[in-house]
Amino acid sequence: MTARRVRYARVSRRQFLGRAGMFAGAVALGPGVLAACGGDDDDGTSSGGTGSGGTGGGGGGGADKLVISNWPLYIDPTEGDTLGTVDLFTEETGIDLTYTEDYNDNNEFFAKIQPDLAAGTPIAQDIIVPTFWLVARLIDLGWVEPLPLDQIPNAANLVPSLQKPSWDPDGEFSLPWQSGITGIAYNREAAGRELTSVGDLLDPEYKGKIGLLSEMRDTVGLFMLYTGEDPSTATFESAQPAFDVIDKAVQDEQIRQFTGNDYQTPLSNGDFVACVGWSGDVAQLALEDPNLEFIIPEEGGMRWSDCMVVPTGAANVAAAAEWMDYVYNPVTAARIAAYVGYISPVSGVQEELAKNPDTAALADSPLLFPDDATLENTFVFANLPDSEEAQFDEQFAEISKS
Amino acid sequence: MAEVGDRGQRRGTWQPWALLSPGVLWLALFFLVPMLTLVRVSLSEQANRFTQEFEFSWRFSNYTDAVSDYAGIFGRSFLYAGLATVLCILIGYPLAYVIAFRGGRYRNLLLGLVVVPFFTSYLIRTIAWRTLLADEGPVVGVLEALHLTSFLDTLGLMENGRLLATWVAVVGGLTYNFLPFMILPIYVALEKIDVRLVDAAKDLYSSAPRAFVKVTLPLSLPGVFAGTLLTFIPASGDFVNAQYLGGPRQTMIGNIVQNLFLVQNRYTSAAAISFILMIIITIAVLVYARFLGTDELAA
C-alpha cells in the first residue's frame, strides 16, 4: 500500500466519474498528466507542516484550528462552484482546516514523524491516515491518542466488519478512512488468456514481465495464499514457503521489478503483463484501457484499511473529533466514496448513493460495495509483533534487493 | 615600507579566518557534527527499531555484517558508477573540447544547452527514461526494427529483448544524469588554455594529435579530475536510477541505505554502510589523485 494513490491522474478519476454518470464535460488532460508524472516520491509538494523539521508543535494550538495529512487524491476536491468536503467543512464549522496531501508512503512518513514522537514532541498534524499495520504499531508505541468517541456520535455508523478490528482491538484509537483490496492487475491482450490465480504470475511465458509491490504485506500475503497459508495468522515460519517462491521467481528473472505506486505506467505501456495491484487504481486504469483487468485471485486477495488517528499531543483534538464526525455522516461519506472509488467504512453510503440518480450506478459497483463472498475470500494481514515484523522486513528486503 | 608590511601581516592574521568562518562553521555544523553522530550510531546497538535510543557499544559487528551482507552490492555500485564515469568522460570530453575551441560565438548558447536538462527535476528526467526505454517504446522499437535485439541479448546488453530493468539502463541513466557535471569542469579547464601554446607546439613541428596529447590534454586534466569526482561520488551513492531503471538484480548501495533507513528503521546498519561507502570513496579518490597527479588537488 505504499503511496498507492500518488499516481492517480485526476484525468482518470474524472473519466471514471464521467462514465458513472456523475459529471459530464470535457477533461483537461495537461495538468492531470503532469500531476501523474510529478507526484512520485516528490513528497511535500503540497505545503509543508510534515513535522520533519522537528518543531512543528501543534500549529499554535487554537481550538478552531485543524491540521490533517492524508494520501494524495483521497478526497473530493472543490471543482468550480461545487464545494468539496474540505471547503464544506470549513464553511459549516468555521474551523481553520489545513488539509495537506503529503502522506505518500507509510514507511517514509513514519521515518519523518519518528524522531519527534519518540522524543515526546507533538507533531504538526492533528490527524494522520496510516495504513492499518502502521496504526497497530503507533498504538503499540503509545504515539496516538484515544479518540473522544463521545464527541463523534457518527462513529456509530462504522460498518460492523470494521468495528474493533485486529489492528485496534478495542476500537478506541482509530476510525477507518477507506478500505481496498490487493489482487492481480493484468493486461489481457498481452497475457493472451484470462488470468485467475497468483500462480499465473509464475508462468514462464511471462518471464521478465511481472511486477510485484514493494509493500511487503501485499506481496507476501498474496504468495502466502498461493502456498496455502493464511496471511491473517501469518508467522515468520508460515511465511517461509511464500518467501521461497518469491525469491526463486526473482532469481529466475521472472520478476521484472518491485514497485510502489508507480506500477500503473508499466502496466499500461506493456512493460508488465501482470502485477500485484490495488483494486481502485486498476479499475480506474481499465476505463482508459479496456485490456486492463483487476482480479481477486482464486487463492484469495488481501484487504487493507487506511485509518484516521490522532498523534499524541495533538493540539486540536476537539476539532479533530468534529472532522471525524463530519466525514462519518453518510451524506459526506457518500460524496467522498463517489470520488475516490474505494470501499467506504460508513454504513448508509450505498443507500445515499442510490438515492441520487447521478450516483445510482455507483451503488451497484462491486468495486465500492464488494459482496460477502468476495470479502470472505480476502484477508487482512496478521498483526505482527515488532521483532517478527523486523524479520519480515529484513527478509523481504533481502529478496527484493538482491 | 615596513608599515605596509606590518599592516599586511596583521590583516593576514584575522582576515583569512573571517573569510573562512562562514564555510568552516557550515562544515562543522552540517558535516562534522552529523558525521560524528553517524560514526557513533554506526557503532551503537539499537534496542528498539522504532525509538531513537542508541546504545554506544563499539559494536564493530555492524561493519563486518554490512561488509559480509552487501559486499556484492558495494562492488556493483562502484562498477556502475565507474562505467558511468568513463562514459561521461568519453562523451563529455569531446563535447567540452568542441565548445571551448570551436564554439565561437555560440559558446555560451552551447553551454546553456548542456545545463538545460537541470531545469527539469532529476526524478522526472529519470522517469522520462522509462518511457523512452519501455518494451514498446521508441528505443527498443528501433532496435527491433534493425533486428539487433537478439544480437544485443547475446552481448549481454539487453535481457530477453528489453532494456528497462537491466544494468544497461541503470548505467545509461547515471551517465545521462551526471554528464553535465563532467562537461562543465572539463570545459572550464580547456577554456583556460592559451591556444598559443598549441600553436607553439605546432611551430616546433608537432603534429596536431601530438600537440593535443602533449599540451592540451595535460592542461585539461584538472578538469577531468574534478569532473570525475563530481560524477563518480554521487553516482556511487545514487539510488534513483537503480530504483526506476533497474530491477531487483540491479540494486545499488544507495537503495540498501534508503531501505534500511526508511523501511526497516535499522539506523545502525544504515550508518555503518554509509560510513563504509565514505571510506571507500575517500581512498579511491586519494589513489586516483595520486595517479592522475593533479598537483593542486592532490597536494
Side-chain angles (χ1 to χ4, degrees), chain A residues 394, chain B residues 46 49 69-70 260-261 264-271:
Chain A
E394 186 175 353
Chain B
Q46 193 174 6
R49 62 183 188 136
D69 287 354
Y70 302 114
L260 286 172
F261 261 122
Q264 298 195 54
N265 305 96
R266 282 170 55 196
Y267 292 84
T268 50
S269 309

Side-chain angles (χ1 to χ4, degrees), chain B residues 56-138:
Chain B
F56 185 74
S57 57
W58 294 106
R59 205 177 135 97
F60 283 103
S61 61
N62 288 337
Y63 283 83
T64 47
D65 287 351
V67 170
S68 62
D69 287 354
Y70 302 114
I73 292 178
F74 270 113
R76 183 192 290 152
S77 303
F78 291 123
L79 180 67
Y80 286 3
L83 279 172
T85 307
V86 170
L87 282 172
C88 278
I89 295 176
L90 292 180
I91 300 169
Y93 197 98
L95 193 64
Y97 186 90
V98 168
I99 297 176
F101 293 124
R102 306 272 186 273
R105 63 198 173 96
Y106 295 112
R107 237 188 221 191
N108 288 335
L109 176 73
L110 291 170
L111 268 187
L113 289 177
V114 169
V115 182
V116 157
F118 282 121
F119 294 176
T120 314
S121 132
Y122 178 41
L123 198 64
I124 304 263
R125 274 182 280 144
T126 310
I127 290 173
W129 264 52
R130 300 219 315 190
T131 316
L132 292 174
L133 301 186
D135 293 9
E136 283 157 32

Side-chain angles (χ1 to χ4, degrees), chain A residues 40-41 107 111 114 137 143 208-209 251 253 256-257 262 271 386 389-390 393-394 397 400-402, chain B residues 49-50 52 76 123 130 135-136 159 162 164 243-244 246-249 251 259 262 264-267:
Chain A
D40 225 84
D41 270 21
N107 286 308
Q114 179 184 20
R137 186 194 290 175
W143 292 357
K209 289 282 199 178
Q251 297 309 324
E253 297 175 43
R256 183 191 183 107
Q257 249 192 331
D262 49 332
D271 287 352
D386 170 34
E389 189 189 34
D393 282 346
E394 186 175 353
S400 58
K401 303 189 180 305
S402 52
Chain B
R49 62 183 188 136
F50 302 135
Q52 305 268 318
R76 183 192 290 152
L123 198 64
R130 300 219 315 190
D135 293 9
E136 283 157 32
E159 254 178 59
R162 68 162 200 263
L164 266 190
Q243 159 110 37
Y244 289 104
R249 298 153 64 84
T251 303
N259 185 272
L262 293 181
Q264 298 195 54
N265 305 96
R266 282 170 55 196
Y267 292 84

Side-chain angles (χ1 to χ4, degrees), chain A residues 147 149 152-179 305-308 324-325 327-330 333 343-349:
Chain A
L147 299 177
L149 287 168
I152 315 175
N154 279 334
N157 294 332
L158 177 62
V159 293
S161 60
L162 287 174
Q163 286 170 9
K164 307 195 173 176
S166 56
W167 57 88
D168 181 9
D170 296 323
E172 53 176 345
F173 291 99
S174 65
L175 277 175
W177 173 258
Q178 303 286 317
S179 306
S305 301
D306 297 329
C307 305
M308 297 183 281
M324 291 184 189
D325 194 53
V327 297
Y328 262 69
N329 179 323
I343 304 168
S344 176
V346 179
S347 49
V349 164

Side-chain angles (χ1 to χ4, degrees), chain B residues 219-253:
Chain B
L219 287 173
S220 67
L221 277 184
V224 177
F225 181 77
T228 304
L229 297 192
L230 289 174
T231 309
F232 182 76
I233 296 174
S236 328
D238 183 82
F239 68 95
V240 171
N241 287 282
Q243 159 110 37
Y244 289 104
L245 303 176
R249 298 153 64 84
Q250 278 81 41
T251 303
M252 292 175 70
I253 201 68

Side-chain angles (χ1 to χ4, degrees), chain A residues 11 14 16-17 42-43 56 125 140 146 153 159 162 207 253 402:
Chain A
V11 178
R14 287 269 209 98
F16 168 66
L17 292 168
D42 197 0
D43 54 12
Q125 289 85 353
D140 219 41
V159 293
L162 287 174
K207 183 178 173 186
E253 297 175 43
S402 52

Side-chain angles (χ1 to χ4, degrees), chain A residues 118-132:
Chain A
T121 314
I123 58 170
Q125 289 85 353
D126 300 301
I127 297 178
I128 56 175
V129 191
T131 301
F132 72 96

